[in-house]
Amino acid sequence: MAFENPTRDEIREILQQAGNIAVVGLSDKPDRTSYMIAEAMQNRGYRIIPVNPNAAGRQILGETCYASLKDIPEPVDIVNVFRRSEYCADVAREAAEIHANVLWLQLGIVSDEAAAIADRSGMKVIMDRCIKVEEAITQPDRSGHR
């Protein structure tokens, strides 16, 4: 059976319930897409947890960056992935180990293997969708201002 993303209503519910979003592949460079999207989500009231082994221990968007998902000392609701498809299965395995609720592969990223791993672990899976765009479409402003 072909993969189908959750419906917009299901995505709305996922985002309403989300607190912590671990962003795998978050760059510390403000001109990178991952940084801009994570910053926008942070400005909308979500807690962003950077994951990038090249920036581990440093601050990105005012938050401590971790080398891997397993290093994050608190629960993660959504694992938002900015890595090429061939790395996503490993990310999905780590997301399963930390009992994340959702594996979200950003726009342009598809991995049937990662989706299968996440699905077997009870995670919801979203692929080839931009979390910022979906959030803007489905959510009222969480930050308290428009």
Side-chain angles (χ1 to χ4, degrees), residues 34-129:
S34 63
Y35 186 99
M36 290 184 273
I37 289 173
E39 183 178 46
M41 295 300 288
Q42 188 179 58
N43 289 339
R44 294 279 291 178
Y46 295 90
R47 167 95 189 286
I48 298 301
I49 303 173
V51 179
N52 182 335
N54 298 322
R58 297 199 311 256
Q59 297 277 307
I60 300 177
L61 294 169
E63 296 282 350
T64 299
C65 184
Y66 295 94
S68 72
L69 291 171
K70 292 182 278 190
D71 294 332
I72 298 172
E74 56 195 284
V76 171
D77 298 307
I78 297 174
V79 174
N80 184 217
V81 184
F82 284 90
R83 299 284 324 268
R84 290 194 320 249
S85 297
E86 59 263 31
Y87 300 111
C88 290
D90 288 337
V91 174
R93 285 184 198 93
E94 257 194 55
E97 286 180 40
I98 67 163
H99 306 289
N101 299 323
V102 178
L103 179 70
W104 192 309
L105 307 185
Q106 272 298 128
L107 189 64
I109 306 170
V110 174
S111 171
D112 291 333
E113 183 183 5
I117 291 164
D119 186 58
R120 282 194 304 271
S121 299
M123 279 183 273
K124 293 182 175 143
V125 180
I126 300 168
M127 296 194 293
D128 194 23
R129 293 270 178 95

Side-chain angles (χ1 to χ4, degrees), residues 2 10-11 13 29 32 42 63 67 78 90 131 141:
E10 291 168 322
I11 290 173
E13 189 174 315
K29 296 175 178 66
R32 295 285 175 92
Q42 188 179 58
E63 296 282 350
I78 297 174
D90 288 337
I131 196 169
D141 191 349

